[in-house]
């Protein structure tokens, strides 16, 4: 049976050879000490905890699931010990604020780490990733007192964090939430309401749980502009670093779900619970959204990590399993049949998964590099440019990695035939676990609407133009490289198609607002194909450079080029149909009356 | 909560208005008595048993699953009673041989019935559908004695049937099975071996289970030409209509699967079990394949039925759930938000599901009509032509309905956001249950290879030409109908693209055998789009005719035309990318060495 191995060689290829991370980090004071050696050491340690601590609990966690017992949630066997080891390794605060006990590592490393833990055990990974998400909002927006009190405990893993947004009637549309915050004379608030779908809302891994809760003040305006953010501990700190009395926070039940069964998804009731304002009154949504760019990328990594895990299982199976004969005659004549990897269609499935993973990982590191620039760079104009790139690419990364992650887990499962449908091989669990990433942290339909609406049609900051300029500059830079033409020519054509249909979309949506929503999902997919072509071209450049060094890794670089060529020949052509689908327009969607559905 | 309702109006539309079933049946003696009234009565009764008996056990069956207890399989609560009601209704022998107690109904009715029961409860439906499959092979190939002894018991549901093909090392490649059949002096055989993935291999629904088993005689040639088919009862009949002694057949275990949890998937051990030859020695595979065309279509219907069930849930949810505002201003200003069906992207998801279901159902009835012609028609040349159409379209129908069925269940699940991921709404179960249909009865990759290889590249019977002639004749017939041009023009273009790339494929695969497998899956998808365009054009013709009658159903026909237009504008364009993907060729797939994966 194949068990998860962190793809360190591939990660180092992108980090060092494609992105030149060490040189990038050297330009910024906050990251200057992050050398290639340090990065490699962190990747090795991360791989060890993912492979040795988390992966062994993945299937048992799924089988056992979380149990709900009278307000308490019991996580599966082994989770408490694993969480302790994980916390002691300092992983929860990996990219946390140094001043309060975080490690201050750049997002480019956190991205690779999160891909590993998501791939090894998504259910487990959600607990620390949610905590890390909560610390981001606190570090950015909370008062110095709240930071000093809560951040060290969250980074150390003694306490954990959640985000409480959704209510039963309000998911995508947070403007209509009902949870109330009553101001108290001491400056605190009493929070009352019920939140649903709270990941890690209750569990037995930490001594306390710190909820970040969206709620409305009595006199706040209706809609999204009347929402504030509060920090609400399950138990109030006792002032001496410990935990004091209960705070009117209780878990009503947990959900029974398709997957991520070892991750507790909770109904959380707040009954006049003491809460503390984070950020300004009525600015809760924007406080949440500053961390959303980080979180959405992390959720995308769930798709990527599970794809990688699925690929490893399917590729090993395809090399081992003998069944049928190669079309060009037996490759294994002494045996009753050939390994199924001789069949073109099995290769098509494996290469599709692999080409998507490698492009996705490269894009994830590209987005992370922009997050690092936006956070660490000294030059404010560099920070601003990077922030624009992040704004444009975050919805694409979240939706693309999770959509393709799910589809790729399904493809990998298909390689195993009936053996993929039964539990033993782990692929059916990967499919179930991957499915949620398309839904939470904003459904992928909402990501697409954010992209096509706010980031394209209503954008006035030149978001797409900035990206297109960068890609065009790369194409131009490569124009004299003969061996790069097979990669940059298709990229040029696809980029032109994107820019062309973008102009069309801006034009028609000025007349008909429904055109944005009608185009959004295929538009996001089209942009994904252009971005994947771009990073494939950059990977090809690095692979060609690697081949020229005459290193012993020549077969590795050769495989990169071949996978890139597969992408161009067999996946990129999808852009043509997407353009036509977009141009198919909104009228055919809006023609039916609601009762005709 | 939405519960499954058989889509009788849509079924009648295709059966009567598109396919003209009554007129077709009137031309054949075996079906002459199948009037429109009789068909409608059967549909009503079928709907009643699907909605009232099967659907209520769908979720409880999934939650409870089958239990394995010391060689016995216990089905979920209520299954025994439901099976009895089902059998007493005569449904197992619906299209069975009249001479031995079957109802003799045409496949066009069986298809609609099977879609209903698959949609209401796939796990349950598999028990009778497997029995019906076994009766087909027996009725066609067994001796008169075996028929007389087994068929009445199978049609009545007293006993049930299975098909035992797969072994742990042999799934797709049945040529390497190890199960042995030793000839006995009385003309029977002793069967020894272990079969896996046997649907309904053991359960508590019937008094006896009749296995159809593929095995090899000691002196048979190696490979697929050395396989014979045997009837092996779990218990030997006592000669008085009852059950006698045990026959060396035992269930070793059941699988733990992603879905269809109430369907027992068994390891079955045969230890010198008494078996009776069905058909000729060494012709076992071709005996199996005569029923495969029926079974594969039925498995496709699983995808169709579960899509329909998922669509009903998602459409009702989309009309009910309020969240956000319409892009063109509130449609529901007195409420806090609009129903999500106002959003173009929600409509895109629903219409995709719906356009696929309606086209799939029409194609299923078209294939069924060809099966009926091949079976019931008096003119042997009509039978032969119909059999060719069946041979060509069966792999397409199986793979297309199950691939799109799964994808459409996922899309419907997405409409519900987080509520789709939890158990309550039933969509996550539909996704898990639909997944298997892409895998069993020959994976969809194998269906595609059968199509592109045997039915296209190596075909010398003019299979595709026959279909293309029919479609061209339809296009020509409609050339003077102005309102039909929006449907037949895109059909013409897509058909030309298919024929064009077919010529290319035949040419290149003559030089390079791997081109067939490299093209097969996108080729099958391309043909699906052409066929769906064809049946959409035929549905449009029927809807326009319906509108001209000035009936009170005008909004129904109007919705049909609008759904068809959506298909043409937003789904059909996929053909362009498929053509390019096919032309991408095999070289990029075969370039990597096995160890480079």
């Amino acid at each position: 049976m194949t068990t998860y191995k962190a793809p360190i060689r591939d990660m180092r290829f992108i980090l060092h050879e494609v992105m030149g991370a060490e040189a990038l980090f050297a330009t910024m004071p906050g990251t200057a000490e992050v050398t290639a050696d340090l990065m490699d050491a962190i990747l090795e340690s991360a791989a060890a905890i993912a492979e040795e601590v988390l992966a062994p609990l993945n299937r048992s966690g799924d089988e056992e699931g979380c149990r709900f017992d009278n307000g308490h949630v019991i996580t599966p066997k082994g989770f408490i010990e694993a969480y302790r080891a994980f916390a002691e390794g300092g992983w929860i605060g990996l990219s946390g604020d140094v001043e309060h006990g975080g490690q201050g590592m750049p997002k480019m490393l956190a991205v690779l780490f999160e891909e590993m833990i998501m791939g090894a055990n998504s259910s487990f990974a959600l607990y620390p990733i949610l905590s890390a998400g909560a610390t981001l909002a606190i570090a950015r927006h909370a008062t110095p007192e709240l930071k000093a009190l809560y951040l060290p405990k969250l980074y150390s893993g003694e306490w954990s964090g959640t985000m409480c947004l959704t209510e039963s009637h309000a998911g995508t549309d947070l403007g209509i939430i009902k949870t109330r915050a009553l101001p108290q004379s001491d400056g605190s608030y009493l929070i009352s309401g019920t939140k649903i779908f709270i990941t890690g809302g209750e569990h037995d891994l930490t001594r306390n749980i710190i909820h970040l809760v969206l709620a409305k003040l009595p006199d706040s305006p209706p809609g999204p502009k009347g929402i504030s953010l509060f920090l609400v501990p399950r138990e109030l700190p006792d002032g001496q670093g410990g935990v004091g009395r209960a705070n009117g926070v209780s878990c009503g039940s947990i959900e029974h779900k398709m997957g991520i069964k070892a991750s507790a998804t909770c109904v959380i009731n707040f009954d006049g619970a003491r809460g503390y304002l984070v950020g300004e009154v009525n600015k809760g949504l924007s406080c949440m959204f500053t961390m959303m760019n980080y979180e959405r990328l992390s959720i995308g990594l769930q798709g990527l990590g599970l794809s990688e895990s699925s690929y490893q299982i399917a590729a090993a199976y395809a090399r081992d399993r003998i069944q049928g004969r190669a079309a060009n005659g037996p490759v294994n004549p002494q045996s009753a049949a050939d390994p199924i990897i001789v069949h073109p269609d099995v290769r098509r499935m494996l290469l599709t998964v692999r080409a998507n993973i490698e492009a996705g990982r490269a894009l994830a590191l590209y987005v992370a590099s922009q997050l690092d620039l936006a956070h660490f760079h000294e030059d404010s104009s560099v920070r601003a440019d990077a922030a624009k790139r992040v704004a444009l690419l975050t919805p694409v990364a979240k939706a693309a990695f999770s959509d393709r992650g799910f589809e790729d887990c399904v493809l990998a499962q298909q390689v195993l035939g009936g053996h993929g449908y039964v539990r033993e091989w782990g692929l059916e669990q990967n499919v179930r676990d991957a499915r949620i990433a398309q839904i939470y942290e904003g459904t992928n339909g909402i990501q697409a609407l954010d992209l096509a609406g706010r980031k394209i049609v209503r954008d006035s900051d030149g978001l797409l133009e900035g990206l297109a300029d960068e890609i065009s500059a790369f194409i131009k830079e490569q124009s004299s490289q003969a061996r790069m033409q097979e990669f940059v020519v298709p990229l040029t054509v696809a980029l032109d198609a994107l820019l062309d249909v973008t102009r069309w979309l801006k034009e028609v949506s000025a007349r008909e607002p429904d055109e944005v929503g009608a185009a959004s999902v295929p538009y996001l997919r089209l942009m994904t194909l252009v971005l994947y072509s771009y990073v494939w071209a950059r990977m090809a450049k690095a692979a060609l450079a690697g081949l020229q060094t005459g290193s012993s890794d020549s077969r590795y670089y050769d495989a990169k080029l071949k996978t890139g060529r597969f992408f161009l020949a067999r996946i990129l052509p999808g852009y043509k149909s997407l353009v036509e689908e977009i141009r198919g327009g909104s009228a055919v969607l809006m023609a039916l009356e609601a009762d005709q559905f």
Side-chain angles (χ1 to χ4, degrees), chain A:
Chain A
M1 196 68 50
T2 308
T3 59
Y4 178 79
K5 291 283 167 212
I8 289 189
R9 178 66 185 95
D10 284 340
M11 290 178 162
R12 296 185 64 235
F13 172 70
I14 298 172
L15 192 62
H16 302 315
E17 299 175 61
V18 178
M19 298 298 301
E22 189 177 55
L24 177 74
F25 292 152
T27 65
M28 305 183 289
T31 57
E33 288 166 26
V34 185
T35 61
D37 284 349
L38 177 61
M39 287 184 256
D40 288 347
I42 290 175
L43 290 184
E44 294 287 347
S45 306
I49 196 149
E51 294 168 7
E52 293 159 26
V53 179
L54 271 52
L57 298 176
N58 188 44
R59 183 168 167 205
S60 59
D62 179 64
E63 307 244 332
E64 204 179 323
C66 282
R67 277 189 302 124
F68 183 70
D69 180 19
N70 196 25
H72 298 284
V73 171
I74 298 105
T75 58
K77 250 193 289 303
F79 269 49
I80 291 177
E81 296 74 14
Y83 197 84
R84 193 172 304 142
F86 190 91
E88 283 168 3
W91 295 109
I92 296 167
L94 181 65
S95 51
D97 191 350
V98 178
E99 211 182 315
H100 294 99
Q103 311 276 336
M105 285 296 130
K107 186 67 179 174
M108 288 179 83
L109 274 176
V111 152
L112 296 176
F113 170 64
E114 288 177 351
E115 186 203 313
M116 288 185 200
I117 64 174
M118 283 292 204
N121 190 331
S122 280
S123 279
F124 183 96
L126 286 167
Y127 294 104
I129 285 175
L130 262 286
S131 278
T135 63
L136 274 169
I138 296 170
R140 191 74 70 92
H141 299 290
T143 61
E145 293 72 26
L146 287 175
K147 287 193 213 181
L149 187 52
Y150 290 97
L151 284 180
K153 296 284 189 188
L154 287 164
Y155 288 143
S156 72
E158 265 181 278
W159 299 350
S160 62
T162 79
M163 293 184 285
C164 301
L165 288 72
T166 304
E167 301 179 8
S168 63
H169 69 292
T172 296
D173 189 355
L174 290 169
I176 57 176
I177 60 169
K178 291 178 181 163
T179 297
R180 287 281 174 264
L182 282 181
Q184 303 299 297
S185 54
D186 65 353
S188 71
Y189 295 79
L190 293 184
I191 313 293
S192 296
T194 297
K195 296 287 183 177
I196 68 164
F197 295 162
I198 307 309
T199 302
E202 178 58 43
H203 56 72
D204 54 7
L205 303 177
T206 59
R207 182 61 191 85
N208 202 1
I209 299 177
I210 313 304
H211 301 286
L212 290 181
V213 185
L214 291 181
K216 295 192 149 200
L217 267 63
D219 55 354
S220 285
K225 288 175 182 166
I227 296 175
S228 306
L229 181 63
F230 300 90
L231 184 157
V232 187
R234 187 185 65 190
E235 282 130 44
L236 293 162
D238 65 5
Q240 284 135 44
V243 158
R245 64 190 166 77
N247 184 29
V249 180
S250 62
C251 176
S253 63
I254 62 174
E255 303 292 343
H256 299 282
K257 310 185 298 292
M258 183 180 192
I260 53 165
K261 295 189 181 210
S263 167
T265 306
C266 305
V267 173
I268 300 289
N269 301 307
F270 298 93
D271 300 310
R274 184 74 56 179
Y276 307 93
L277 187 69
V278 174
E280 290 173 47
V281 165
N282 294 339
K283 302 276 182 181
L285 275 189
S286 70
C287 293
M288 270 291 176
F289 276 103
T290 56
M291 63 186 240
M292 276 289 183
N293 284 339
Y294 277 78
E295 281 299 303
R296 287 185 166 167
L297 185 54
S298 299
I299 292 308
L301 297 173
Q302 183 175 12
L304 212 49
L306 289 169
S307 285
E308 173 67 38
S309 158
S310 299
Y311 176 81
Q312 292 179 10
I313 298 167
Y317 185 90
R319 278 191 293 261
D320 262 20
R321 172 80 170 175
I322 65 166
Q323 203 81 177
R325 286 297 187 191
N328 275 305
V331 300
N332 205 6
Q334 76 288 3
S335 169
D338 292 332
I340 62 172
I341 203 155
V342 303
H343 303 301
D345 191 58
V346 171
R347 289 171 164 250
R348 178 189 63 83
M349 294 191 276
L350 289 173
L351 278 167
T352 300
V353 178
R354 180 165 172 169
N356 284 333
I357 291 172
E358 300 202 6
R361 187 179 291 129
L363 181 58
L365 276 178
Y366 175 81
V367 177
S369 73
Q370 300 293 327
L371 279 164
D372 287 333
L373 285 170
H375 185 70
F376 290 108
H377 206 279
E378 289 183 300
D379 183 336
S380 67
S381 75
V382 172
R383 289 204 304 275
D385 280 349
K388 285 185 196 173
R389 201 60 43 84
V390 168
L392 178 68
L393 296 188
T394 296
V396 184
K398 190 275 181 182
F401 302 165
S402 58
D403 276 348
R404 293 188 176 259
F406 176 73
E407 289 160 17
D408 291 343
C409 287
V410 170
L411 267 183
Q413 184 187 28
Q414 193 73 15
V415 170
L416 275 73
H419 298 279
Y421 195 69
V422 299
R423 310 205 71 159
E424 278 70 6
W425 288 86
L427 285 169
E428 68 88 28
Q429 182 189 345
N430 281 0
V431 170
R432 289 185 289 104
D433 286 355
R435 181 69 183 93
I436 188 60
Q438 301 174 283
I439 297 172
Y440 61 13
E441 292 284 323
T443 65
N444 286 357
I446 291 298
Q447 305 298 327
L449 211 54
D450 177 43
L451 172 70
R454 196 172 306 132
K455 309 296 172 59
I456 298 288
V457 165
R458 294 195 301 280
D459 167 54
S460 56
D461 288 333
L463 299 187
L464 180 61
E465 291 76 3
L467 174 71
D469 287 349
E470 178 186 318
I471 297 176
S472 298
F474 174 83
I475 293 171
K476 202 173 163 198
E477 171 200 305
Q478 298 301 314
S479 60
S480 59
Q481 305 295 319
R483 299 191 65 188
M484 280 296 290
Q485 295 317 298
E486 60 174 321
F487 291 94
V488 294
V489 171
L491 169 62
T492 310
V493 175
L495 176 63
D496 285 347
L498 173 69
L499 296 176
D500 190 48
V501 82
T502 302
R503 281 186 290 272
W504 176 87
L505 180 61
K506 286 185 176 180
E507 211 177 286
V508 294
S509 59
R511 294 193 298 273
E512 174 49 67
D514 274 329
E515 293 293 347
V516 176
S520 52
V521 164
Y523 186 87
L524 187 146
R525 291 199 182 129
L526 175 61
M527 186 176 282
T528 303
L529 288 176
V530 172
L531 288 164
Y532 279 20
S533 303
Y534 174 47
V535 294
W536 263 117
R538 290 184 61 173
M539 287 192 280
K541 182 187 163 198
L544 288 168
L547 279 175
Q548 276 170 354
T549 63
S551 87
S552 58
D553 259 0
S554 64
R555 296 191 78 241
Y556 178 83
Y557 296 120
D558 176 58
K560 283 277 169 289
L561 292 171
K562 288 170 173 170
T563 309
R565 288 181 194 122
F566 167 82
F567 176 84
L568 295 177
R570 307 281 311 227
I571 299 183
L572 180 59
Y575 85 85
K576 295 200 174 178
S577 294
L578 291 168
V579 167
E580 293 238 349
E581 191 186 339
I582 293 167
R583 287 178 182 271
S586 69
V588 288
L589 295 171
M590 308 313 288
L592 281 86
E593 302 295 323
D595 68 346
Q596 285 184 305
F597 277 85

